[in-house]
Amino acid sequence: MADSPQAMAPYRRIAAQIKARIDSGEIRPGDRIPSVREIMRDEGVSTATATRVAAVLRAEGYAESVPGIGTLATLPKKITAGSDRLQMLRASGSGYRRGERAEILSAGLVPAPEVVADALEIEEGVAVVQRRRAYYDDRGLVALSTSWLPGELGQVIPELLIAEPLPRMAFGLVEDRAGRRAVRRRDIVAIRPVPEDVASVLGMESGLPALTMTNLYWDQHGEVTEYAVDFLGPGRELSADYALEQSPGLHR
């Protein structure tokens, strides 16, 4: 569980407040963030504390200093992985970040290749649902994502087989229609050569190394519901925040 605002160091607390305003769109990329003088006045902190706020925001990708202009808000160049989308869906009803959109490239039943069959714990060649989509934001391509689901889900949720946006994210449809709630996941980060059919979308030469995120999901019965591989767009990175210490009275 993340530290409460009261438990944070003052500069961390103020930085977290500004990051939340940037994430919500209240402060947009390119807008000036509060100056050292403004932070001192509004928060009643010292010059040293106010200066550290901007340093934290720059280090975490939420601000950049522009000579002659000041410190401007930016958004971190990070990917939203499938696991993040599941958490956002359950928290807000949407699996997309502000300004993000998806383009459905293909959908249908395909014979399971060996790696997919092993992940879904089925025989190679058995028909599985495959959906491929590209995620974009205001900086361009975020990731090319391909998901494979058990073939029987295509009968229960025929929308999975159509190359069009789903009425809600696949996680929600699988839970609502098939009663299979994702309760466990495994994330694998790896460098992989870009396949030929992925390279053209990424704007890269096939065979070059690229950063990938692979996700596996299990339902409440211990059965795999989805296997997904995301190839990150050029210049993207993966990042995560963790609370390393718990304050007294806070429990997981």
Side-chain angles (χ1 to χ4, degrees), residues 28-77:
R28 300 185 63 82
D31 291 348
R32 287 182 62 256
I33 66 168
S35 67
V36 170
R37 187 180 300 274
E38 290 168 338
I39 292 173
M40 292 172 57
R41 181 195 66 208
D42 297 340
E43 300 291 340
V45 295
S46 67
T47 302
T49 295
T51 301
R52 295 185 75 178
V53 172
V56 168
L57 294 173
R58 287 193 296 270
E60 297 184 2
Y62 279 88
E64 61 180 352
S65 295
V66 180
I69 298 178
T71 304
L72 306 182
T74 61
L75 284 173
K77 296 180 179 179

Side-chain angles (χ1 to χ4, degrees), residues 32-154:
R32 287 182 62 256
I33 66 168
S35 67
V36 170
R37 187 180 300 274
E38 290 168 338
I39 292 173
M40 292 172 57
R41 181 195 66 208
D42 297 340
E43 300 291 340
V45 295
S46 67
T47 302
T49 295
T51 301
R52 295 185 75 178
V53 172
V56 168
L57 294 173
R58 287 193 296 270
E60 297 184 2
Y62 279 88
E64 61 180 352
S65 295
V66 180
I69 298 178
T71 304
L72 306 182
T74 61
L75 284 173
K77 296 180 179 179
K78 65 180 182 179
I79 185 175
T80 304
S83 51
D84 300 316
R85 297 187 191 282
L86 176 57
Q87 292 171 341
M88 289 191 293
L89 175 68
R90 289 178 175 169
S92 67
S94 173
Y96 296 98
R97 294 186 183 276
R98 183 184 181 90
E100 197 174 46
R101 63 181 178 85
E103 179 183 344
I104 312 302
L105 303 180
S106 63
L109 289 173
V110 300
E114 182 179 5
V115 64
V116 173
D118 288 345
L120 295 181
E121 301 175 356
I122 59 176
E123 294 292 330
E124 183 179 353
V126 170
V128 293
V129 175
Q130 177 184 283
R131 290 183 62 84
R132 175 165 288 175
R133 54 218 171 271
Y135 291 101
Y136 297 92
D137 63 13
D138 58 358
R139 289 187 175 89
L141 180 70
V142 177
L144 178 66
S145 179
T146 307
S147 297
W148 293 268
L149 301 90
E152 63 267 20
L153 290 177

Side-chain angles (χ1 to χ4, degrees), residues 163-197:
E164 295 179 358
L166 297 171
R168 60 180 306 195
M169 295 195 74
F171 299 115
L173 288 176
V174 170
E175 183 174 341
D176 291 346
R177 306 268 190 92
R180 299 177 65 174
R181 178 178 175 83
V183 298
R184 184 166 69 93
R185 79 170 194 262
R186 177 182 298 151
D187 301 333
I188 303 169
V189 179
I191 302 293
R192 299 187 182 188
V194 177
E196 187 173 350
D197 60 337

